[in-house]
Amino acid sequence: MDFNRADGMDGEAGIMGTLQGKVAIVTGASSGIGRAIAERLAAEGATVVVNYNQSADKAKAVVAGIEAKGGKAVAVQADMSRVAEARRLVKEAVAKFGQLDILVNNAGLFFPKPLIETTEEEFDRIFALNAKGPYFAMQEAAKVITDGGRIVNISTYGTHLGFPGATAHLGSKGALEQYTKGLAHELAPRGVTVNTVSPGLTETHMMSDPFRQVGIQLSPFKRIGVPKDIADVVAFVVSEEARWMTGQNLHAGGGVVM
Ligand SMILES: NC(=O)c1ccc[n+]([C@@H]2O[C@H](COP(=O)([O-])OP(=O)(O)OC[C@H]3O[C@@H](n4cnc5c(N)ncnc54)[C@H](OP(=O)(O)O)[C@@H]3O)[C@@H](O)[C@H]2O)c1
């Protein structure tokens, strides 16, 4: 077993297989953190539903990359800010693969605007994607998810730090974190765990140079995160080894303190 490989694959044995036979949905998986999560879960043997909204070509490339390594994936378009589409995504996954074991609510928007400048339309837009869509995806998933299944919500380390100038954003992710705690109780009798993973500043399309420089300065590791840093944490949370952990928020933020 080669622990140094960055792609989650075993150089000699191919797919490692801790998630063999599982079906996972990863929302917003056409790029960034979602893409890395989809690739990581596929490398563990899960069949992955790669959700995207606008970037069909990128989603197809993610699927092709997974298949090229011997994994199984399918791209499914759904706008996760729309409740009907969030429900459809879950239904399509179950219709296609007969089960659902893992839901990762990753699709989200960063909205760095202070309260005083935020319009009602902007507030509704940010909450629709970061909070409302994931809520109803979880509701649909809760109806069908396999006993012992896993739900992971991707929030932000910013809620922990009180990241300045993004009040509505923090509120929407804060809501998601509270859904985690509530649903963890509701699904525990079936052995389903529900947890939050909160990335710190991570090198994706969301990143800009000012935030990158701040992140490098604040982290004791003197770098910002890369998507794989987050995907590896998610891979643990969805594993059998994490069965005793539910309703928690794992801060994957590179040790940043403010
Ligand atoms: N990067 C960071 O520093 C950071 C820090 C903390 C938390 N996070 C969180 O991590 C998650 C992923 O962020 P990222 O940095 O990886 O972003 P990203 O690289 O910009 O990717 C965003 C992904 O979300 C998808 N998406 C956007 N709107 C969608 C919608 N309405 N329905 C379905 N999918 C949608 C995009 O797909 P299409 O292009 O197909 O629309 C894309 O695949 C987010 O929840 C974000 O809040 C990121």
Side-chain angles (χ1 to χ4, degrees), residues 96-225:
K96 193 160 180 55
F97 298 113
Q99 67 193 70
L100 177 67
D101 306 281
I102 298 164
L103 169 66
V104 182
N105 273 318
N106 164 79
L109 274 176
F110 181 45
F111 186 67
K113 228 181 194 189
L115 176 145
I116 203 77
E117 296 170 14
T118 304
T119 66
E120 183 179 353
E121 186 276 333
E122 288 169 333
F123 180 94
D124 286 345
R125 189 160 53 84
I126 198 81
F127 267 75
L129 181 57
N130 288 3
K132 189 173 178 183
Y135 184 94
F136 286 99
M138 287 193 289
Q139 187 184 75
E140 204 61 40
K143 296 176 192 170
V144 294
I145 197 163
T146 314
D147 288 0
R150 302 281 187 260
I151 295 176
V152 182
N153 290 318
I154 304 299
S155 180
T156 170
Y157 197 57
T159 56
H160 177 63
L161 297 174
F163 196 85
T167 303
H169 181 72
L170 296 188
S172 65
K173 291 293 195 179
L176 191 58
E177 291 173 14
Q178 296 306 317
Y179 303 156
T180 294
K181 291 184 186 175
L183 188 59
H185 283 271
E186 293 183 40
L187 295 184
R190 292 171 44 206
V192 176
T193 70
V194 189
N195 289 289
T196 298
V197 171
S198 291
L201 293 169
T202 307
E203 195 62 68
T204 70
H205 291 117
M206 272 190 197
M207 191 47 53
S208 64
D209 202 51
F211 283 122
R212 183 180 294 111
Q213 295 312 324
V214 169
I216 291 169
Q217 277 175 16
L218 291 177
S219 171
F221 294 124
K222 295 301 168 210
R223 67 170 177 90
I224 64 167

Side-chain angles (χ1 to χ4, degrees), residues 28 30-31 33 53-55 78-80 106 155 173 199-200 202 204:
S30 55
S31 68
I33 292 169
N53 183 27
Q54 294 183 322
S55 306
D79 179 350
M80 292 303 293
N106 164 79
S155 180
K173 291 293 195 179
T202 307
T204 70

